Amino acid sequence: MKPYFLCMESGGTKTLTCGIDLDGNILYEYYNGVGSPAVDYDLALRNIFEGIEHVYCKLKDQYELVFIELGISGLGRVDNVQLLKDDIHNKYSVDVDIVTDAEMSLHSIIKNERVHGILVVSGTGNATCAIHGDKFMIVGGGGQLLEELGSGYSLIHQSVLEIKRKYEHGIPYDEYDLEVLKWTNCDDFPNLKTYFYAHTKSQMASFAHNVMNIIRSNQDNINLYNIAKTNVQKQGFYLADQVTTITDTLKIPNGSILGLVGGFWRDNHILLESFKYHLKLKNKEFDIVNIDSSAVMGCYYLALKNWRKTC
C-alpha cells in the first residue's frame, strides 16, 4: 500500500484532518468542531481523536499511515504534550509530532525550501514566530493575562485601560472613549470594569470591528477618525517590534519570507502600513505574503521532514 501522512489543523472553531500522500496530494479531508484546548479542553481533545480516527478508518484499506503531524491551536493548555503523543502513538503505532498552529502556519510558507522565515499572527490574539535552521522561537502570544500586544484584543484592552486612566485622574473622556462605553452599554469605568470581566477575550476582541468601522465611515468626524486610526497604528508598531526582536535574536537576514495570518490583518491597510513603516525604521525588509488558505500543508512539510529522519 502507498504511504501517507495524517495531518491536522485544529482551531478555535473547527478542525481539519487530512490524509496527504508523500507528494503533497490531499487524499481525503474531514472537518469537525472546535480543536483548541484553550477554548474547550475536553471537547477539543474529543474532536482531535475523532478526526484522527475518522481519516485513518477512511484510508486504512488503501493506504499505509506512516506519520501523524498535528498543528494545534491553544497547545499551551495541554499539561503533558508528550502524554498526548504517546496515547496517539500507542493506538496507531506510528511516530507522532505535535506543534502549535503558529509553527504549522510558518512551515506552510517555508515549505522545507527555505532556511529561515517569519510568521506574524494577528487576530483575536497574537503570536510572532520565526525559524532559522533548527532554531525556532515565538515572541508575543502570552495571552490576555500576560501580554497580547498587536491584536484585536489588544486594541480594545488598551482602550479600556485608557478609560481607566482617565477615570482615576478625573480627565474627561474623549469621543472615542464614549464610543467604547456605548458599545458595551456602560456609562462609566466601574460599569465597564464589570462588563470586561464578565466577557471572554474573543467577545472583547470582537469590538475591534467597531474601531475599523469608525475608520471606514467616520472621516467626517476627523477627531474620532484620528484617534481610532492612531490606536490601530499602535498595534502595527507592536507587531513590527516583535519581528525586530525575533529576527535580531535568530539572526534572520533581510529578504526572508514573512507571512501574515489572522483576521485582524484582513482588509486592514492601516495596520499593514504601520507595520511596514516601523519595520523600515528599523532597516528591516522582508518578502511579505498573506496566508489566506488553510495552513494544514505546513503539517505536511513538517511530517515529510520528520518522517525522512526516521527512514
Side-chain angles (χ1 to χ4, degrees), residues 223-240:
N223 186 50
L224 184 61
Y225 169 84
N226 283 335
I227 296 171
K229 180 178 178 181
T230 298
N231 286 346
V232 174
Q233 288 172 329
K234 286 180 183 178
Q235 303 305 314
F237 163 76
Y238 297 138
L239 294 171

Side-chain angles (χ1 to χ4, degrees), residues 179 210-226:
E179 283 291 312
N210 298 52
V211 180
M212 299 313 301
N213 286 337
I214 288 175
I215 293 170
R216 296 185 185 106
S217 60
N218 279 280
Q219 294 191 38
D220 291 338
N221 187 335
I222 195 65
N223 186 50
L224 184 61
Y225 169 84
N226 283 335

Side-chain angles (χ1 to χ4, degrees), residues 2 37 53 57 63 67 75 92 96 130 135 159 182 187 205-206 216 280 282 300:
K2 293 183 178 179
E53 180 68 9
C57 290
Y63 298 91
F67 201 92
L75 184 60
Y92 298 99
V96 180
K135 295 180 180 179
S159 299
K182 184 171 70 175
D187 58 5
S206 68
R216 296 185 185 106
K280 189 173 182 180
K282 298 289 187 178
Y300 159 74

